[in-house]
Amino acid sequence: MDEILNIKTKFEIKTTEEKPAGAVALKIVSEAQNPFLKKAGDLFFSQGDDGVVVTFYTGETFNSDTYRSLGGKIAAWIKATLPTSVFWEYDPTIAEQEVSNLIEGLLLGSFEFDQYKKVKEIPNSSTLFLDTAFSELLAQRKIVCDAVNMARHWAHEPACLINPQTLSERIEILAKAYGLKCTVLDDLQLREMGAGAIIAVGQGSKTPSRMIIVEYEGQKKEKPVVLVGKAITFDSGGYSIKPSDSMVSMKYDKCGAMAVLGVMRAAAELRFEKPIVGIICAAENMLSQNSYRPDDIIHSLSGQTIEVISTDAEGRLVLCDGLTYAQQKYDPQAIIDLATLTGGCVVAYGHVRAGVLCNQTELFDQLYASGEKTWERVWRLPHDEDYAELLKGTDADLKNSGGRWGSPVTGGMFLKQFVKDTIPWAHIDIAGVSDLEKGTAYSAPGATGFGIRLILDWLQKN
């Protein structure tokens, strides 16, 4: 099962003490040197003293994503032209952080999900060489990007291969490989615990719900940070059924959990000091004679009852039991949940930023800063208690939907009802950024792995 952890990429990146014979020389310039360089990512070829030189242009404007995006564009060129070897001729005016971002873009840009395509046999593999001065930096960035690419790969896998049961089996393999503790709670254990919300969502599927807990003990004895991820392995909408075209791509409704798993893997490899717990709330939301229905009343793990308004507002149901479990089992210093929660967040923020509903300004400010650095950007959602009024149940304590208006906010406010005010908590709605139809400079179309680099940076800084 090594292939599910070590995801193959389209080319390799290595370090060397000197330029290999016959390698294409790669140069990066920030000033347009000829008419061919007009916008970021433009390139031109020339003949140098010892072979071909390809020059890439950064563009005129700079931000924290400039070199990362350029790395992705260089990766696209390598994948398209398949040079045997390329050697980057480093310009010492480029700052170390920009080199780090460039390497990140190259590593992320080297990924494509083509496992089920008939791929033409490539006569030779491509290798990009960096100077040995960047060996340590490359090793660190590779750990992070390998975790992102694994999360992307798993997110791409369809529901015929990844369901709550098979996902738990994969996670057990992951945990064993990276020295993590893994506990799988099956539907019988969840029912006995009283976790009726996560059970309800999965009861219409032939593969019942699972809650999978992954623990990294860290280097310090302190309270853990708990990450909670939504893993709806397929979402039909249940009896509040989605239109058929809206079901396409619902394999990506597990991207929040994939981000949590990516963080857990990278944190273990990088030997983070903080103890971290990842809670994966897995279910498949299907239609059958056993499916939960609108008007059903569910008993959550917290003891609060929930009136079902929409069976397509299922993500918050699996998460609310996960959030409760986090507080019952651990004494967390902070909780962050990641979920493809609402289409309303896509309407509000498009495919640029994730929405964050947070109970402490300091925590949001930290996440915002990490988002600007990693270019996994976030924006704060309001959390006025007026929104919670929309969630008061008629026949139960709560209802699982407050209607269309303000849906990203009411989705987050629903989860807030399950978190103690004294615990710093953030809900990150990644619905608009978890998978992209056209991709980005360094993310192929499909799953992006959004959230992994953001959370890792936040953990390192705070």
Side-chain angles (χ1 to χ4, degrees):
M1 297 295 284
D2 182 65
E3 67 276 6
I4 69 171
L5 302 178
N6 300 311
I7 307 304
K8 289 183 179 180
T9 53
K10 293 301 181 182
F11 60 89
E12 291 187 272
I13 304 176
K14 299 179 179 179
T15 58
T16 181
E17 292 184 353
E18 57 184 33
K19 178 185 175 185
V24 175
L26 169 65
K27 292 185 177 181
I28 294 173
V29 297
S30 56
E31 295 181 1
Q33 299 175 342
N34 63 50
F36 295 106
L37 304 180
K38 295 179 180 179
K39 63 181 187 301
D42 281 351
L43 72 154
F44 77 93
F45 293 92
S46 59
Q47 188 67 36
D49 294 336
D50 58 350
V52 175
V53 179
V54 58
T55 301
F56 276 83
Y57 178 42
T58 61
E60 294 180 350
T61 58
F62 289 83
N63 55 44
S64 62
D65 201 47
T66 296
Y67 276 86
R68 193 179 293 108
S69 288
L70 186 64
K73 289 169 183 173
I74 294 170
W77 168 74
I78 293 174
K79 290 189 291 185
T81 59
L82 301 174
T84 302
S85 59
V86 180
F87 178 76
W88 179 36
E89 296 186 350
Y90 168 62
D91 178 352
T93 63
I94 300 176
E96 183 177 348
Q97 182 60 57
E98 291 169 335
V99 174
S100 177
N101 291 346
L102 178 76
I103 292 172
E104 208 169 73
L106 288 162
L107 290 164
L108 295 173
S110 68
F111 170 84
E112 282 185 18
F113 186 81
D114 58 6
Q115 183 165 333
Y116 304 109
K117 291 181 178 180
K118 186 176 180 181
V119 181
K120 292 181 181 179
E121 189 171 335
I122 299 172
N124 60 280
S125 58
S126 299
T127 305
L128 171 64
F129 291 95
L130 311 176
D131 191 275
T132 51
F134 302 117
S135 295
E136 185 177 346
L137 188 59
L138 173 60
Q140 290 178 343
R141 290 300 88 198
K142 190 173 188 305
I143 287 171
V144 172
C145 294
D146 282 354
V148 173
N149 289 337
M150 181 198 77
R152 289 169 164 180
H153 187 97
W154 289 22
H156 270 274
E157 292 281 22
C160 59
L161 294 176
I162 290 189
N163 56 53
Q165 180 179 331
T166 57
L167 177 60
S168 66
E169 292 165 358
R170 280 183 178 234
I171 295 172
E172 287 176 319
I173 294 169
L174 173 71
K176 184 176 180 181
Y178 293 97
L180 303 166
K181 180 183 176 182
C182 181
T183 305
V184 179
L185 301 176
D186 64 22
D187 55 314
L188 298 178
Q189 291 167 297
L190 292 169
R191 194 178 300 278
E192 187 176 339
M193 287 164 46
I198 188 172
I199 283 289
V201 174
Q203 68 190 32
S205 171
K206 66 179 181 180
T207 52
S209 303
R210 296 284 188 273
M211 189 181 290
I212 308 134
I213 300 95
V214 184
E215 298 176 68
Y216 167 67
E217 66 178 11
Q219 311 304 313
K220 286 185 175 180
K221 297 295 182 183
E222 59 181 66
K223 296 178 180 180
V225 169
V226 180
L227 308 175
V228 183
K230 171 188 170 184
I232 301 298
T233 57
F234 188 79
D235 182 16
S236 68
Y239 277 111
S240 305
I241 191 168
K242 294 178 182 290
S244 59
D245 58 345
S246 296
M247 285 194 210
V248 177
S249 80
M250 279 298 107
K251 65 181 181 179
Y252 295 128
D253 213 14
K254 59 183 181 287
C255 283
M258 300 305 101
V260 170
L261 294 172
V263 171
M264 298 302 297
R265 168 179 166 160
E269 275 201 275
L270 293 169
R271 294 182 59 80
F272 275 17
E273 292 191 345
K274 270 187 204 306
I276 309 166
V277 176
I279 298 177
I280 306 303
C281 304
E284 187 178 40
N285 189 20
M286 300 294 286
L287 289 93
S288 76
Q289 62 183 5
N290 299 318
S291 298
Y292 78 126
R293 301 156 291 258
D295 288 337
D296 279 2
I297 293 178
I298 296 168
H299 293 262
S300 71
L301 183 59
S302 72
Q304 297 180 86
T305 54
I306 304 164
E307 186 177 346
V308 177
I309 303 301
S310 169
T311 61
D312 197 24
E314 83 300 325
R316 64 200 68 182
L317 295 177
V318 302
L319 287 172
C320 74
D321 278 349
L323 291 168
T324 302
Y325 183 86
Q327 295 161 91
Q328 290 181 349
K329 180 73 174 178
Y330 306 96
D331 182 17
Q333 59 174 282
I335 302 174
I336 296 177
D337 73 74
L338 296 101
T340 48
L341 202 75
T342 65
C345 201
V346 189
V347 174
Y349 295 151
H351 300 290
V352 176
R353 290 182 183 267
V356 176
L357 197 142
C358 188
N359 65 358
Q360 292 195 10
T361 298
E362 182 182 4
L363 174 57
F364 173 77
D365 289 345
Q366 292 168 355
L367 290 169
Y368 178 84
S370 290
E372 295 301 300
K373 178 185 174 185
T374 60
W375 215 246
E376 293 193 327
R377 293 168 291 171
V378 299
W379 201 258
R380 193 170 190 179
L381 293 162
H383 58 285
D384 308 76
E385 285 302 318
D386 308 58
Y387 291 104
E389 293 293 318
L390 299 172
L391 296 164
K392 286 188 175 179
T394 303
D395 296 330
D397 297 320
L398 297 167
K399 53 186 181 181
N400 77 326
S401 175
R404 291 180 60 196
W405 310 123
S407 63
V409 181
T410 55
M413 289 298 289
F414 177 88
L415 297 175
K416 188 174 184 291
Q417 310 312 305
F418 297 86
V419 182
K420 297 174 185 175
D421 291 336
T422 54
I423 299 175
W425 162 74
H427 156 66
I428 307 180
D429 190 336
I430 61 172
V433 290
S434 61
D435 63 283
L436 300 174
E437 186 178 353
K438 295 183 179 179
T440 68
Y442 47 85
S443 184
T448 63
F450 185 100
I452 298 172
R453 294 181 297 109
L454 163 69
I455 298 299
L456 288 171
D457 186 76
W458 173 76
L459 285 165
Q460 285 181 305
K461 285 181 177 176
N462 303 286

